[in-house]
Amino acid sequence: RNIAALVGLCTVWMAPNPVTIVALSTWTYASWTMIAHHTCHGGYNRVDAGRFNSRGFGLGLVNRCIDWLDWMSPEAWNIEHNRLHHYRLNEEKDPDLVQRNLDFLRDANVPLPFKYVTVALFLPIWKWLYYAPNTFKELKTNEWTKAGKELPKDFDPETAVTLFSMLDPRRRGTREIVKPFDIFFNVLGPMFFGRYVAIPSILALVPGVGPSFAVHAVVNLLLAELLTNVHSFITIVTNHAGEDIYTFDDAVKPKTGSFYVRQVIGSVNYAAGSDPIDFSHGFLNYQIEHHVWPDLSMLQYQRGAPRLKAICEKFSVPYIQENVFERLRKTVDIMVGRTTMRTFPTEYEPEKDKAGESGVTWKSTNGAIDDNRQ
């Protein structure tokens, strides 16, 4: 990650070229998938890892700029990902449930090729168009609920928020929760000004050649942005979607047998086993292991994967591992409505494993959980 950042920043002034674009893209990608992801989960809390501790990493504007500068607010991502996605995996309350979030496209009365084109256009812009506002929606919804405030009547907390829907004049309730000023200034603003304004502005000060350097930087940064978004979509969004993956209609308690089975059959791995392969996948190719043990380090997933796979084989628990591009195909087919995910018969799970209507409560935004309450 650091080498990619160094190469990208030291050559960003040059005419647009593949080396600079790939380096800048990898810097952004690795900062999220390998550094921030595992740090925010507490993967390094058991050792003296300096700044890489979940209890402060990326929190606040200064730490965000130093630790993990991206389109998403780290505080919002901790709520959306660490809490809701991991502990409500593939349920209606999972904000990352692709099949539910793409209902509008799946049900659209338009030709199938048009749907595929829509998905293709979405890939390069998905983080700032959808993921940043939707994670922030989960943070603000949590704050409203925690404060005892009643959510607006026309606001559905399980409906994904995008920049488009937030600005829709008919969605007043959404704008009460997700205020456009907060999104553009506090959520998207740091990344926009820190990456796309500050860097070109500094280069523009170089005597004589400054303006051309600044233009080169803007183009390199924009192309790297498109590339890193496609890269992250392929390795992140595809982890829990496909006609061979299960959805669930209720919640179960963490650390129960039913919970662990759901993490396995609701997730998928990619090719894995060597540092180059794992780095190119952002170590998200160990998604099953990550959902079973979310607070381990990347190295421990490498070591633990063969053991977990053997356990699943022993007890006939489906453990899916496929090429990432095959998973992309299956995910896109879900998005356009060509296929549908499986529904798990949750009535066969032990009653003692059920979380009840109150679900799971948390001590902090870092994903630590209290005991469940029925």
Side-chain angles (χ1 to χ4, degrees), residues 9-148:
L9 290 174
C10 288
T11 61
V12 71
W13 57 272
M14 299 173 64
N17 65 90
V19 173
T20 300
I21 293 166
V22 171
L24 291 171
S25 171
T26 302
W27 172 34
T28 302
Y29 176 79
S31 295
W32 179 19
T33 61
M34 285 176 269
I35 305 299
H37 185 202
H38 299 285
T39 301
C40 290
H41 271 293
Y44 306 102
N45 285 4
R46 298 179 182 89
V47 297
D48 184 8
R51 299 187 63 86
F52 303 101
N53 187 292
S54 67
R55 301 301 171 178
F57 184 87
L59 304 182
L61 180 59
V62 174
N63 286 334
R64 181 178 177 184
C65 293
I66 294 173
D67 296 334
W68 175 32
L69 185 61
D70 209 322
W71 296 111
M72 300 80 67
S73 158
E75 291 90 341
W77 190 75
N78 282 335
I79 292 284
E80 190 271 353
H81 180 80
N82 290 7
R83 289 189 181 190
L84 296 173
H85 171 61
H86 269 264
Y87 293 99
R88 306 304 297 268
L89 177 65
N90 289 358
E91 303 170 23
E92 281 300 309
K93 291 189 179 295
D94 179 359
D96 293 341
L97 184 56
V98 173
Q99 182 169 277
R100 189 267 324 283
N101 288 346
L102 272 293
D103 271 347
F104 73 94
L105 185 61
R106 288 169 56 84
D107 298 337
N109 186 24
V110 296
L112 191 60
F114 179 84
K115 294 183 179 183
Y116 281 112
V117 170
T118 301
V119 173
L121 294 175
F122 176 67
L123 263 64
I125 59 176
W126 76 282
K127 275 203 296 183
W128 56 263
L129 176 67
Y130 150 72
Y131 202 50
N134 200 53
T135 53
F136 190 68
K137 179 260 291 186
E138 299 297 347
L139 173 65
K140 302 310 290 185
T141 300
N142 175 76
E143 291 177 354
W144 274 55
T145 303
K146 189 175 181 179

Side-chain angles (χ1 to χ4, degrees), residues 91-290:
E91 303 170 23
E92 281 300 309
K93 291 189 179 295
D94 179 359
D96 293 341
L97 184 56
V98 173
Q99 182 169 277
R100 189 267 324 283
N101 288 346
L102 272 293
D103 271 347
F104 73 94
L105 185 61
R106 288 169 56 84
D107 298 337
N109 186 24
V110 296
L112 191 60
F114 179 84
K115 294 183 179 183
Y116 281 112
V117 170
T118 301
V119 173
L121 294 175
F122 176 67
L123 263 64
I125 59 176
W126 76 282
K127 275 203 296 183
W128 56 263
L129 176 67
Y130 150 72
Y131 202 50
N134 200 53
T135 53
F136 190 68
K137 179 260 291 186
E138 299 297 347
L139 173 65
K140 302 310 290 185
T141 300
N142 175 76
E143 291 177 354
W144 274 55
T145 303
K146 189 175 181 179
K149 298 171 63 176
E150 183 178 354
L151 296 175
K153 293 182 179 180
D154 60 343
F155 173 73
D156 181 1
E158 294 177 9
T159 297
V161 171
T162 67
L163 291 185
F164 293 149
S165 65
M166 180 188 68
L167 298 175
D168 187 337
R170 299 166 296 179
R171 303 281 292 272
R172 294 183 180 180
T174 297
R175 286 191 298 280
E176 283 189 57
I177 302 291
V178 183
K179 299 185 185 309
F181 177 83
D182 286 338
I183 286 292
F184 289 112
F185 187 78
N186 297 323
V187 178
L188 301 177
M191 176 67 165
F192 177 77
F193 287 104
R195 188 72 59 90
Y196 300 99
V197 175
I199 294 175
S201 296
I202 292 172
L203 291 172
L205 298 176
V206 178
V209 293
S212 63
F213 281 6
V215 171
H216 291 166
V218 169
V219 175
N220 279 318
L221 288 166
L222 288 177
L223 292 176
E225 171 70 21
L226 300 178
L227 178 61
T228 197
N229 284 348
V230 171
H231 189 185
S232 59
F233 182 96
I234 292 173
T235 58
I236 292 174
V237 179
T238 59
N239 281 142
H240 306 284
E243 70 270 22
D244 50 355
I245 299 297
Y246 287 91
T247 60
F248 311 97
D249 61 10
D250 63 6
V252 293
K253 299 175 184 177
K255 301 183 180 180
T256 60
S258 297
F259 175 82
Y260 288 122
V261 169
R262 288 188 180 196
Q263 306 314 301
V264 176
I265 66 176
S267 307
V268 62
N269 280 8
Y270 314 134
S274 69
D275 287 343
I277 291 176
D278 295 345
F279 184 90
S280 67
H281 290 81
F283 279 77
L284 300 168
N285 45 344
Y286 297 103
Q287 193 67 193
I288 295 174
E289 288 71 27
H290 174 59

